mmCIF file with all atom_site columns, all heavy atoms in Angstrom:
data_model
loop_
_atom_site.group_PDB
_atom_site.id
_atom_site.type_symbol
_atom_site.label_atom_id
_atom_site.label_alt_id
_atom_site.label_comp_id
_atom_site.label_asym_id
_atom_site.label_entity_id
_atom_site.label_seq_id
_atom_site.pdbx_PDB_ins_code
_atom_site.Cartn_x
_atom_site.Cartn_y
_atom_site.Cartn_z
_atom_site.occupancy
_atom_site.B_iso_or_equiv
_atom_site.pdbx_formal_charge
_atom_site.auth_seq_id
_atom_site.auth_comp_id
_atom_site.auth_asym_id
_atom_site.auth_atom_id
_atom_site.pdbx_PDB_model_num
ATOM   1  N N   . THR A 1 8   ? 89.961 88.420 110.797 1.00 0.00 ? 8   THR A N   1
ATOM   2  C CA  . THR A 1 8   ? 88.597 88.602 110.329 1.00 0.00 ? 8   THR A CA  1
ATOM   3  C C   . THR A 1 8   ? 88.462 89.896 109.540 1.00 0.00 ? 8   THR A C   1
ATOM   4  O O   . THR A 1 8   ? 89.251 90.828 109.702 1.00 0.00 ? 8   THR A O   1
ATOM   5  C CB  . THR A 1 8   ? 87.554 88.504 111.467 1.00 0.00 ? 8   THR A CB  1
ATOM   6  O OG1 . THR A 1 8   ? 86.259 88.283 110.879 1.00 0.00 ? 8   THR A OG1 1
ATOM   7  C CG2 . THR A 1 8   ? 87.499 89.745 112.334 1.00 0.00 ? 8   THR A CG2 1
ATOM   8  N N   . GLY A 1 9   ? 87.473 89.925 108.649 1.00 0.00 ? 9   GLY A N   1
ATOM   9  C CA  . GLY A 1 9   ? 87.260 91.085 107.784 1.00 0.00 ? 9   GLY A CA  1
ATOM   10 C C   . GLY A 1 9   ? 85.842 91.606 107.904 1.00 0.00 ? 9   GLY A C   1
ATOM   11 O O   . GLY A 1 9   ? 84.929 90.867 108.259 1.00 0.00 ? 9   GLY A O   1
ATOM   12 N N   . THR A 1 11  ? 83.042 93.788 105.715 1.00 0.00 ? 11  THR A N   1
ATOM   13 C CA  . THR A 1 11  ? 82.712 94.355 104.413 1.00 0.00 ? 11  THR A CA  1
ATOM   14 C C   . THR A 1 11  ? 82.311 95.819 104.569 1.00 0.00 ? 11  THR A C   1
ATOM   15 O O   . THR A 1 11  ? 81.519 96.159 105.451 1.00 0.00 ? 11  THR A O   1
ATOM   16 C CB  . THR A 1 11  ? 81.569 93.531 103.784 1.00 0.00 ? 11  THR A CB  1
ATOM   17 O OG1 . THR A 1 11  ? 81.950 92.158 103.801 1.00 0.00 ? 11  THR A OG1 1
ATOM   18 C CG2 . THR A 1 11  ? 81.311 93.954 102.360 1.00 0.00 ? 11  THR A CG2 1
ATOM   19 N N   . PHE A 1 42  ? 90.774 93.417 108.943 1.00 0.00 ? 42  PHE A N   1
ATOM   20 C CA  . PHE A 1 42  ? 90.862 94.225 107.716 1.00 0.00 ? 42  PHE A CA  1
ATOM   21 C C   . PHE A 1 42  ? 89.507 94.690 107.213 1.00 0.00 ? 42  PHE A C   1
ATOM   22 O O   . PHE A 1 42  ? 88.466 94.139 107.547 1.00 0.00 ? 42  PHE A O   1
ATOM   23 C CB  . PHE A 1 42  ? 91.617 93.455 106.638 1.00 0.00 ? 42  PHE A CB  1
ATOM   24 C CG  . PHE A 1 42  ? 90.874 92.264 106.108 1.00 0.00 ? 42  PHE A CG  1
ATOM   25 C CD1 . PHE A 1 42  ? 90.118 92.374 104.950 1.00 0.00 ? 42  PHE A CD1 1
ATOM   26 C CD2 . PHE A 1 42  ? 90.932 91.047 106.749 1.00 0.00 ? 42  PHE A CD2 1
ATOM   27 C CE1 . PHE A 1 42  ? 89.425 91.278 104.454 1.00 0.00 ? 42  PHE A CE1 1
ATOM   28 C CE2 . PHE A 1 42  ? 90.236 89.948 106.263 1.00 0.00 ? 42  PHE A CE2 1
ATOM   29 C CZ  . PHE A 1 42  ? 89.483 90.072 105.114 1.00 0.00 ? 42  PHE A CZ  1
ATOM   30 N N   . HIS A 1 47  ? 85.265 93.008 98.789  1.00 0.00 ? 47  HIS A N   1
ATOM   31 C CA  . HIS A 1 47  ? 83.972 92.350 98.996  1.00 0.00 ? 47  HIS A CA  1
ATOM   32 C C   . HIS A 1 47  ? 82.826 93.343 98.858  1.00 0.00 ? 47  HIS A C   1
ATOM   33 O O   . HIS A 1 47  ? 81.744 93.000 98.385  1.00 0.00 ? 47  HIS A O   1
ATOM   34 C CB  . HIS A 1 47  ? 83.923 91.663 100.361 1.00 0.00 ? 47  HIS A CB  1
ATOM   35 C CG  . HIS A 1 47  ? 84.583 90.328 100.378 1.00 0.00 ? 47  HIS A CG  1
ATOM   36 N ND1 . HIS A 1 47  ? 85.904 90.149 100.694 1.00 0.00 ? 47  HIS A ND1 1
ATOM   37 C CD2 . HIS A 1 47  ? 84.110 89.102 100.086 1.00 0.00 ? 47  HIS A CD2 1
ATOM   38 C CE1 . HIS A 1 47  ? 86.219 88.863 100.600 1.00 0.00 ? 47  HIS A CE1 1
ATOM   39 N NE2 . HIS A 1 47  ? 85.140 88.211 100.237 1.00 0.00 ? 47  HIS A NE2 1
ATOM   40 N N   . TYR A 1 137 ? 82.849 84.865 95.215  1.00 0.00 ? 137 TYR A N   1
ATOM   41 C CA  . TYR A 1 137 ? 83.050 85.485 96.530  1.00 0.00 ? 137 TYR A CA  1
ATOM   42 C C   . TYR A 1 137 ? 83.812 84.585 97.513  1.00 0.00 ? 137 TYR A C   1
ATOM   43 O O   . TYR A 1 137 ? 84.771 85.028 98.149  1.00 0.00 ? 137 TYR A O   1
ATOM   44 C CB  . TYR A 1 137 ? 81.648 85.821 97.031  1.00 0.00 ? 137 TYR A CB  1
ATOM   45 C CG  . TYR A 1 137 ? 81.446 86.373 98.402  1.00 0.00 ? 137 TYR A CG  1
ATOM   46 C CD1 . TYR A 1 137 ? 80.925 87.660 98.558  1.00 0.00 ? 137 TYR A CD1 1
ATOM   47 C CD2 . TYR A 1 137 ? 81.714 85.635 99.553  1.00 0.00 ? 137 TYR A CD2 1
ATOM   48 C CE1 . TYR A 1 137 ? 80.682 88.180 99.816  1.00 0.00 ? 137 TYR A CE1 1
ATOM   49 C CE2 . TYR A 1 137 ? 81.477 86.157 100.800 1.00 0.00 ? 137 TYR A CE2 1
ATOM   50 C CZ  . TYR A 1 137 ? 80.964 87.420 100.928 1.00 0.00 ? 137 TYR A CZ  1
ATOM   51 O OH  . TYR A 1 137 ? 80.730 87.934 102.167 1.00 0.00 ? 137 TYR A OH  1
ATOM   52 N N   . MET A 1 141 ? 87.395 85.315 99.608  1.00 0.00 ? 141 MET A N   1
ATOM   53 C CA  . MET A 1 141 ? 87.445 85.185 101.067 1.00 0.00 ? 141 MET A CA  1
ATOM   54 C C   . MET A 1 141 ? 88.500 84.158 101.491 1.00 0.00 ? 141 MET A C   1
ATOM   55 O O   . MET A 1 141 ? 89.228 84.357 102.470 1.00 0.00 ? 141 MET A O   1
ATOM   56 C CB  . MET A 1 141 ? 86.057 84.817 101.597 1.00 0.00 ? 141 MET A CB  1
ATOM   57 C CG  . MET A 1 141 ? 85.996 84.742 103.097 1.00 0.00 ? 141 MET A CG  1
ATOM   58 S SD  . MET A 1 141 ? 84.299 84.933 103.681 1.00 0.00 ? 141 MET A SD  1
ATOM   59 C CE  . MET A 1 141 ? 84.469 84.214 105.324 1.00 0.00 ? 141 MET A CE  1
ATOM   60 N N   . ASP A 1 144 ? 91.818 85.868 101.336 1.00 0.00 ? 144 ASP A N   1
ATOM   61 C CA  . ASP A 1 144 ? 92.016 86.730 102.508 1.00 0.00 ? 144 ASP A CA  1
ATOM   62 C C   . ASP A 1 144 ? 92.606 85.947 103.666 1.00 0.00 ? 144 ASP A C   1
ATOM   63 O O   . ASP A 1 144 ? 93.484 86.424 104.388 1.00 0.00 ? 144 ASP A O   1
ATOM   64 C CB  . ASP A 1 144 ? 90.660 87.250 103.034 1.00 0.00 ? 144 ASP A CB  1
ATOM   65 C CG  . ASP A 1 144 ? 90.007 88.258 102.125 1.00 0.00 ? 144 ASP A CG  1
ATOM   66 O OD1 . ASP A 1 144 ? 90.728 88.990 101.431 1.00 0.00 ? 144 ASP A OD1 1
ATOM   67 O OD2 . ASP A 1 144 ? 88.751 88.316 102.135 1.00 0.00 ? 144 ASP A OD2 1
ATOM   68 N N   . VAL A 1 153 ? 89.214 82.038 112.594 1.00 0.00 ? 153 VAL A N   1
ATOM   69 C CA  . VAL A 1 153 ? 88.502 83.102 111.897 1.00 0.00 ? 153 VAL A CA  1
ATOM   70 C C   . VAL A 1 153 ? 87.145 83.321 112.571 1.00 0.00 ? 153 VAL A C   1
ATOM   71 O O   . VAL A 1 153 ? 86.204 82.556 112.351 1.00 0.00 ? 153 VAL A O   1
ATOM   72 C CB  . VAL A 1 153 ? 88.316 82.749 110.400 1.00 0.00 ? 153 VAL A CB  1
ATOM   73 C CG1 . VAL A 1 153 ? 87.631 83.887 109.656 1.00 0.00 ? 153 VAL A CG1 1
ATOM   74 C CG2 . VAL A 1 153 ? 89.655 82.415 109.752 1.00 0.00 ? 153 VAL A CG2 1
ATOM   75 N N   . GLN A 1 159 ? 78.646 82.590 107.871 1.00 0.00 ? 159 GLN A N   1
ATOM   76 C CA  . GLN A 1 159 ? 79.918 82.516 107.139 1.00 0.00 ? 159 GLN A CA  1
ATOM   77 C C   . GLN A 1 159 ? 80.623 81.177 107.310 1.00 0.00 ? 159 GLN A C   1
ATOM   78 O O   . GLN A 1 159 ? 81.703 80.972 106.747 1.00 0.00 ? 159 GLN A O   1
ATOM   79 C CB  . GLN A 1 159 ? 80.856 83.638 107.609 1.00 0.00 ? 159 GLN A CB  1
ATOM   80 C CG  . GLN A 1 159 ? 80.328 85.036 107.378 1.00 0.00 ? 159 GLN A CG  1
ATOM   81 C CD  . GLN A 1 159 ? 80.311 85.401 105.905 1.00 0.00 ? 159 GLN A CD  1
ATOM   82 O OE1 . GLN A 1 159 ? 81.237 85.086 105.167 1.00 0.00 ? 159 GLN A OE1 1
ATOM   83 N NE2 . GLN A 1 159 ? 79.244 86.042 105.464 1.00 0.00 ? 159 GLN A NE2 1
HETATM 84 N N1  . LIG B 2 .   ? 82.377 87.743 104.063 1.00 0.00 ? 401 LIG B N1  1
HETATM 85 C C1  . LIG B 2 .   ? 82.495 88.322 105.359 1.00 0.00 ? 401 LIG B C1  1
HETATM 86 C C2  . LIG B 2 .   ? 81.145 88.921 105.783 1.00 0.00 ? 401 LIG B C2  1
HETATM 87 O O1  . LIG B 2 .   ? 80.376 89.329 104.944 1.00 0.00 ? 401 LIG B O1  1
HETATM 88 C C3  . LIG B 2 .   ? 83.541 89.400 105.391 1.00 0.00 ? 401 LIG B C3  1
HETATM 89 C C4  . LIG B 2 .   ? 84.862 88.821 105.064 1.00 0.00 ? 401 LIG B C4  1
HETATM 90 C C5  . LIG B 2 .   ? 85.558 88.970 103.911 1.00 0.00 ? 401 LIG B C5  1
HETATM 91 C C6  . LIG B 2 .   ? 85.634 87.963 105.906 1.00 0.00 ? 401 LIG B C6  1
HETATM 92 N N2  . LIG B 2 .   ? 86.719 88.274 103.962 1.00 0.00 ? 401 LIG B N2  1
HETATM 93 C C7  . LIG B 2 .   ? 86.798 87.659 105.167 1.00 0.00 ? 401 LIG B C7  1
HETATM 94 C C8  . LIG B 2 .   ? 85.442 87.453 107.191 1.00 0.00 ? 401 LIG B C8  1
HETATM 95 C C9  . LIG B 2 .   ? 87.767 86.828 105.701 1.00 0.00 ? 401 LIG B C9  1
HETATM 96 C C10 . LIG B 2 .   ? 86.424 86.609 107.707 1.00 0.00 ? 401 LIG B C10 1
HETATM 97 C C11 . LIG B 2 .   ? 87.591 86.312 106.967 1.00 0.00 ? 401 LIG B C11 1
HETATM 98 O O2  . LIG B 2 .   ? 80.875 88.978 106.962 1.00 0.00 ? 401 LIG B O2  1
#
Side-chain angles (χ1 to χ4, degrees):
T8 197
T11 307
F42 69 96
H47 279 91
Y137 175 116
M141 183 158 160
D144 290 330
V153 183
Q159 299 290 319

